[in-house]
C-alpha cells in the first residue's frame, strides 16, 4: 500500500443508504482514508455485472483497497476473501468470482486470504449484512496497515462463472454478461472473437442476431463504431468502452425494443 493517504473504493448492489453505512465503518477504523463510492447501483445479485464494473474501473483508480459486494450467498458457507494483486491493490469481497477479473487486470493474484480473524470484523456479525460487519472492517484495517496474511488462512479464489464465446464459421455465440442502465446488452465476447467468426468486418456490415430466451426471436443489426452510425431507434452491434461486444439501440433500450430482457446468450450470423 502507498505511504500517502490510503484510498478505499466501494462498489455494491446495496443502494445509497447501506453503502454509506459501509463507508462509515471504513472511516471509523481508518479515519485518514479517502473513501470513494464507485457505485451503489449494481443490479441486485448481478455478480457478472459487478465483476465487469470492477474489471473496467479499478485500473483507473489509485492503488488501494477496493471493496466489491454483490453477494447472493451472504450468510452461507461461501468465503469472504481479500485478494492482493500485482499492482499492489487489495480487493475485498465474497469469494464468488466477483473480484477475479479485476485482479487479473491489476497484475494478477499475488495471494488471497479468507477473512477469518475476528479481530478484523465488527464484534457482532449479522447473517445478512457482511458488507458492514466483515468486508468494510477488513478494508478499514488493511487501509490502516494490517497485512492481508493477518486476516486468515490462504485460499484459492473461485473464478467467475461465465461461459466462453463459441466461434463457428460465420457464427458467434456469446453469453450476455449484463444489461446496462441504458438497456444495452454487454456480451462475453471481444473483437477478436468477431474476427475469428467472420473475418475482417467493416463498420456498416449487416448481421442477424438470434436468441431463444426469454422467447425465441431475431433481429437485423449492423456493426457500427458509434451509436450514431444508425438512426435513432435502430439497433446496432458495437465495441463498448471495456472492449466487449454490445447490442444497443441508438437512443433506446435494446432489452426493451428487441425483447431481450432476460436473454442469456445470443448468436450472431452474417447476412
Amino acid at each position: 500500500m502507498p505511504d500517502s493517504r490510503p484510498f478505499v473504493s466501494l462498489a455494491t448492489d446495496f443502494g445509497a443508504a447501506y453503502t454509506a453505512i459501509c463507508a462509515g465503518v471504513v472511516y471509523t477504523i481508518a479515519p485518514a482514508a479517502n473513501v470513494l463510492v464507485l457505485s451503489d447501483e449494481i443490479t441486485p445479485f448481478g455478480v457478472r455485472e459487478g465483476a465487469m464494473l470492477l474489471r473496467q474501473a479499478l485500473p483507473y483508480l489509485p492503488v488501494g483497497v477496493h471493496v466489491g459486494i454483490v453477494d447472493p450467498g451472504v450468510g452461507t458457507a461461501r468465503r469472504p476473501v481479500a485478494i492482493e494483486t500485482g499492482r499492489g491493490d487489495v480487493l475485498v469481497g465474497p469469494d464468488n468470482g466477483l473480484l477475479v477479473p479485476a485482479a487479473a487486470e491489476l497484475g494478477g493474484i499475488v495471494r488471497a486470504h479468507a477473512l477469518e480473524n475476528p479481530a478484523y470484523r465488527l464484534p457482532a456479525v449479522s447473517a445478512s449484512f457482511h458488507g458492514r460487519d466483515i468486508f468494510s472492517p477488513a478494508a478499514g484495517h488493511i487501509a490502516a496497515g494490517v497485512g492481508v496474511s493477518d486476516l486468515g488462512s490462504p485460499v484459492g479464489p473461485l473464478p467467475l462463472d461465465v461461459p466462453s464465446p463459441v466461434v463457428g464459421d460465420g457464427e458467434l455465440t456469446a453469453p450476455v454478461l449484463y444489461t446496462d442502465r441504458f438497456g444495452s446488452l454487454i456480451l462475453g465476447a471481444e473483437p477478436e472473437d468477431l474476427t475469428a467468426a467472420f473475418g475482417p468486418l467493416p463498420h456498416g456490415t449487416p448481421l442477424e442476431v438470434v436468441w431463444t430466451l426469454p422467447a425465441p426471436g431475431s433481429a437485423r443489426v449492423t456493426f457500427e463504431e458509434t451509436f450514431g452510425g444508425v438512426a435513432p431507434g435502430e439497433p446496432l452491434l458495437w465495441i463498448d468502452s471495456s472492449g466487449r461486444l454490445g447490442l444497443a439501440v441508438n437512443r433506446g433500450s435494446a432489452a426493451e425494443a428487441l425483447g431481450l430482457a432476460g436473454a442469456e446468450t445470443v448468436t450472431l450470423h452474417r447476412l
Side-chain angles (χ1 to χ4, degrees), residues 89-112:
D89 307 86
V90 179
L91 312 185
V92 174
D95 185 23
N96 59 8
L98 176 71
L99 308 175
V100 172
E105 293 295 312
L106 297 173
I109 296 173
V110 173
R111 56 179 172 164

mmCIF file of all heavy atoms in Angstrom, residues 89-112:
data_model
loop_
_atom_site.group_PDB
_atom_site.id
_atom_site.type_symbol
_atom_site.label_atom_id
_atom_site.label_comp_id
_atom_site.label_asym_id
_atom_site.label_seq_id
_atom_site.Cartn_x
_atom_site.Cartn_y
_atom_site.Cartn_z
ATOM 1 N N ASP A 89 -2.805 -3.452 -5.140
ATOM 2 C CA ASP A 89 -4.135 -3.274 -4.573
ATOM 3 C C ASP A 89 -4.529 -4.497 -3.752
ATOM 4 O O ASP A 89 -3.996 -5.593 -3.931
ATOM 5 C CB ASP A 89 -5.179 -3.100 -5.689
ATOM 6 C CG ASP A 89 -4.819 -2.003 -6.664
ATOM 7 O OD1 ASP A 89 -4.075 -2.298 -7.629
ATOM 8 O OD2 ASP A 89 -5.264 -0.876 -6.475
ATOM 9 N N VAL A 90 -5.525 -4.308 -2.887
ATOM 10 C CA VAL A 90 -6.172 -5.420 -2.193
ATOM 11 C C VAL A 90 -7.664 -5.338 -2.485
ATOM 12 O O VAL A 90 -8.291 -4.293 -2.260
ATOM 13 C CB VAL A 90 -5.919 -5.387 -0.676
ATOM 14 C CG1 VAL A 90 -6.648 -6.554 -0.005
ATOM 15 C CG2 VAL A 90 -4.424 -5.453 -0.371
ATOM 16 N N LEU A 91 -8.215 -6.426 -3.002
ATOM 17 C CA LEU A 91 -9.630 -6.495 -3.325
ATOM 18 C C LEU A 91 -10.330 -7.293 -2.241
ATOM 19 O O LEU A 91 -9.898 -8.396 -1.900
ATOM 20 C CB LEU A 91 -9.843 -7.152 -4.685
ATOM 21 C CG LEU A 91 -8.985 -6.641 -5.842
ATOM 22 C CD1 LEU A 91 -9.406 -7.308 -7.145
ATOM 23 C CD2 LEU A 91 -9.046 -5.133 -5.955
ATOM 24 N N VAL A 92 -11.424 -6.754 -1.723
ATOM 25 C CA VAL A 92 -12.135 -7.364 -0.601
ATOM 26 C C VAL A 92 -13.572 -7.637 -1.014
ATOM 27 O O VAL A 92 -14.243 -6.746 -1.556
ATOM 28 C CB VAL A 92 -12.101 -6.442 0.633
ATOM 29 C CG1 VAL A 92 -12.962 -7.010 1.763
ATOM 30 C CG2 VAL A 92 -10.670 -6.232 1.115
ATOM 31 N N GLY A 93 -14.050 -8.853 -0.752
ATOM 32 C CA GLY A 93 -15.436 -9.159 -1.084
ATOM 33 C C GLY A 93 -15.709 -10.646 -0.966
ATOM 34 O O GLY A 93 -14.886 -11.415 -0.456
ATOM 35 N N PRO A 94 -16.864 -11.092 -1.457
ATOM 36 C CA PRO A 94 -17.211 -12.507 -1.400
ATOM 37 C C PRO A 94 -16.433 -13.318 -2.430
ATOM 38 O O PRO A 94 -16.087 -12.820 -3.505
ATOM 39 C CB PRO A 94 -18.711 -12.515 -1.715
ATOM 40 C CG PRO A 94 -18.904 -11.292 -2.570
ATOM 41 C CD PRO A 94 -17.950 -10.268 -2.036
ATOM 42 N N ASP A 95 -16.183 -14.573 -2.077
ATOM 43 C CA ASP A 95 -15.463 -15.473 -2.975
ATOM 44 C C ASP A 95 -16.456 -16.152 -3.908
ATOM 45 O O ASP A 95 -16.727 -17.345 -3.814
ATOM 46 C CB ASP A 95 -14.703 -16.513 -2.154
ATOM 47 C CG ASP A 95 -13.821 -17.412 -3.017
ATOM 48 O OD1 ASP A 95 -13.459 -16.979 -4.131
ATOM 49 O OD2 ASP A 95 -13.509 -18.523 -2.573
ATOM 50 N N ASN A 96 -16.998 -15.352 -4.840
ATOM 51 C CA ASN A 96 -17.958 -15.882 -5.819
ATOM 52 C C ASN A 96 -17.578 -15.513 -7.245
ATOM 53 O O ASN A 96 -18.423 -15.532 -8.130
ATOM 54 C CB ASN A 96 -19.379 -15.388 -5.495
ATOM 55 C CG ASN A 96 -19.491 -13.868 -5.495
ATOM 56 O OD1 ASN A 96 -18.555 -13.155 -5.869
ATOM 57 N ND2 ASN A 96 -20.648 -13.350 -5.076
ATOM 58 N N GLY A 97 -16.317 -15.167 -7.446
ATOM 59 C CA GLY A 97 -15.832 -14.779 -8.768
ATOM 60 C C GLY A 97 -15.878 -13.295 -9.037
ATOM 61 O O GLY A 97 -15.291 -12.821 -10.016
ATOM 62 N N LEU A 98 -16.538 -12.532 -8.173
ATOM 63 C CA LEU A 98 -16.724 -11.098 -8.376
ATOM 64 C C LEU A 98 -15.412 -10.350 -8.548
ATOM 65 O O LEU A 98 -15.307 -9.440 -9.378
ATOM 66 C CB LEU A 98 -17.510 -10.529 -7.191
ATOM 67 C CG LEU A 98 -17.734 -9.029 -7.139
ATOM 68 C CD1 LEU A 98 -18.724 -8.602 -8.213
ATOM 69 C CD2 LEU A 98 -18.220 -8.605 -5.757
ATOM 70 N N LEU A 99 -14.401 -10.715 -7.784
ATOM 71 C CA LEU A 99 -13.166 -9.937 -7.728
ATOM 72 C C LEU A 99 -12.100 -10.397 -8.728
ATOM 73 O O LEU A 99 -11.145 -9.674 -8.993
ATOM 74 C CB LEU A 99 -12.570 -10.019 -6.317
ATOM 75 C CG LEU A 99 -13.510 -9.664 -5.157
ATOM 76 C CD1 LEU A 99 -12.795 -9.914 -3.832
ATOM 77 C CD2 LEU A 99 -13.989 -8.226 -5.250
ATOM 78 N N VAL A 100 -12.264 -11.587 -9.274
ATOM 79 C CA VAL A 100 -11.179 -12.215 -10.029
ATOM 80 C C VAL A 100 -10.864 -11.509 -11.350
ATOM 81 O O VAL A 100 -9.686 -11.309 -11.674
ATOM 82 C CB VAL A 100 -11.476 -13.707 -10.228
ATOM 83 C CG1 VAL A 100 -10.481 -14.355 -11.169
ATOM 84 C CG2 VAL A 100 -11.463 -14.420 -8.868
ATOM 85 N N PRO A 101 -11.857 -11.113 -12.172
ATOM 86 C CA PRO A 101 -11.489 -10.419 -13.410
ATOM 87 C C PRO A 101 -10.733 -9.113 -13.163
ATOM 88 O O PRO A 101 -9.793 -8.787 -13.895
ATOM 89 C CB PRO A 101 -12.846 -10.164 -14.083
ATOM 90 C CG PRO A 101 -13.719 -11.257 -13.570
ATOM 91 C CD PRO A 101 -13.301 -11.428 -12.143
ATOM 92 N N ALA A 102 -11.125 -8.368 -12.135
ATOM 93 C CA ALA A 102 -10.410 -7.133 -11.818
ATOM 94 C C ALA A 102 -8.994 -7.431 -11.357
ATOM 95 O O ALA A 102 -8.045 -6.725 -11.716
ATOM 96 C CB ALA A 102 -11.165 -6.348 -10.747
ATOM 97 N N ALA A 103 -8.832 -8.480 -10.563
ATOM 98 C CA ALA A 103 -7.486 -8.847 -10.113
ATOM 99 C C ALA A 103 -6.578 -9.137 -11.297
ATOM 100 O O ALA A 103 -5.400 -8.756 -11.304
ATOM 101 C CB ALA A 103 -7.569 -10.048 -9.177
ATOM 102 N N ALA A 104 -7.115 -9.802 -12.313
ATOM 103 C CA ALA A 104 -6.326 -10.096 -13.499
ATOM 104 C C ALA A 104 -5.866 -8.821 -14.196
ATOM 105 O O ALA A 104 -4.753 -8.765 -14.744
ATOM 106 C CB ALA A 104 -7.127 -10.968 -14.462
ATOM 107 N N GLU A 105 -6.707 -7.796 -14.189
ATOM 108 C CA GLU A 105 -6.355 -6.518 -14.816
ATOM 109 C C GLU A 105 -5.354 -5.722 -13.990
ATOM 110 O O GLU A 105 -4.728 -4.798 -14.498
ATOM 111 C CB GLU A 105 -7.621 -5.676 -15.026
ATOM 112 C CG GLU A 105 -8.594 -6.241 -16.042
ATOM 113 C CD GLU A 105 -8.008 -6.262 -17.439
ATOM 114 O OE1 GLU A 105 -7.451 -5.241 -17.883
ATOM 115 O OE2 GLU A 105 -8.092 -7.325 -18.087
ATOM 116 N N LEU A 106 -5.218 -6.062 -12.716
ATOM 117 C CA LEU A 106 -4.339 -5.322 -11.814
ATOM 118 C C LEU A 106 -3.044 -6.077 -11.528
ATOM 119 O O LEU A 106 -2.448 -5.938 -10.471
ATOM 120 C CB LEU A 106 -5.070 -5.028 -10.496
ATOM 121 C CG LEU A 106 -6.306 -4.141 -10.622
ATOM 122 C CD1 LEU A 106 -7.044 -4.040 -9.301
ATOM 123 C CD2 LEU A 106 -5.931 -2.744 -11.127
ATOM 124 N N GLY A 107 -2.620 -6.875 -12.494
ATOM 125 C CA GLY A 107 -1.348 -7.563 -12.361
ATOM 126 C C GLY A 107 -1.444 -8.984 -11.875
ATOM 127 O O GLY A 107 -0.410 -9.621 -11.616
ATOM 128 N N GLY A 108 -2.665 -9.495 -11.740
ATOM 129 C CA GLY A 108 -2.848 -10.878 -11.325
ATOM 130 C C GLY A 108 -2.892 -11.040 -9.816
ATOM 131 O O GLY A 108 -2.606 -10.113 -9.049
ATOM 132 N N ILE A 109 -3.274 -12.234 -9.393
ATOM 133 C CA ILE A 109 -3.393 -12.539 -7.967
ATOM 134 C C ILE A 109 -2.027 -12.924 -7.410
ATOM 135 O O ILE A 109 -1.392 -13.868 -7.876
ATOM 136 C CB ILE A 109 -4.397 -13.691 -7.748
ATOM 137 C CG1 ILE A 109 -5.799 -13.262 -8.204
ATOM 138 C CG2 ILE A 109 -4.409 -14.121 -6.281
ATOM 139 C CD1 ILE A 109 -6.814 -14.391 -8.185
ATOM 140 N N VAL A 110 -1.565 -12.174 -6.417
ATOM 141 C CA VAL A 110 -0.321 -12.488 -5.716
ATOM 142 C C VAL A 110 -0.594 -13.467 -4.586
ATOM 143 O O VAL A 110 0.112 -14.454 -4.405
ATOM 144 C CB VAL A 110 0.327 -11.203 -5.170
ATOM 145 C CG1 VAL A 110 1.533 -11.534 -4.298
ATOM 146 C CG2 VAL A 110 0.725 -10.284 -6.313
ATOM 147 N N ARG A 111 -1.635 -13.205 -3.824
ATOM 148 C CA ARG A 111 -2.068 -14.093 -2.743
ATOM 149 C C ARG A 111 -3.483 -13.714 -2.354
ATOM 150 O O ARG A 111 -3.949 -12.612 -2.638
ATOM 151 C CB ARG A 111 -1.148 -14.002 -1.531
ATOM 152 C CG ARG A 111 -0.990 -12.589 -0.972
ATOM 153 C CD ARG A 111 -0.085 -12.564 0.236
ATOM 154 N NE ARG A 111 0.206 -11.192 0.640
ATOM 155 C CZ ARG A 111 0.701 -10.843 1.820
ATOM 156 N NH1 ARG A 111 0.953 -11.789 2.722
ATOM 157 N NH2 ARG A 111 0.948 -9.585 2.117
ATOM 158 N N ALA A 112 -4.163 -14.645 -1.715
ATOM 159 C CA ALA A 112 -5.521 -14.398 -1.236
ATOM 160 C C ALA A 112 -5.688 -15.082 0.107
ATOM 161 O O ALA A 112 -5.172 -16.175 0.342
ATOM 162 C CB ALA A 112 -6.551 -14.921 -2.231
#
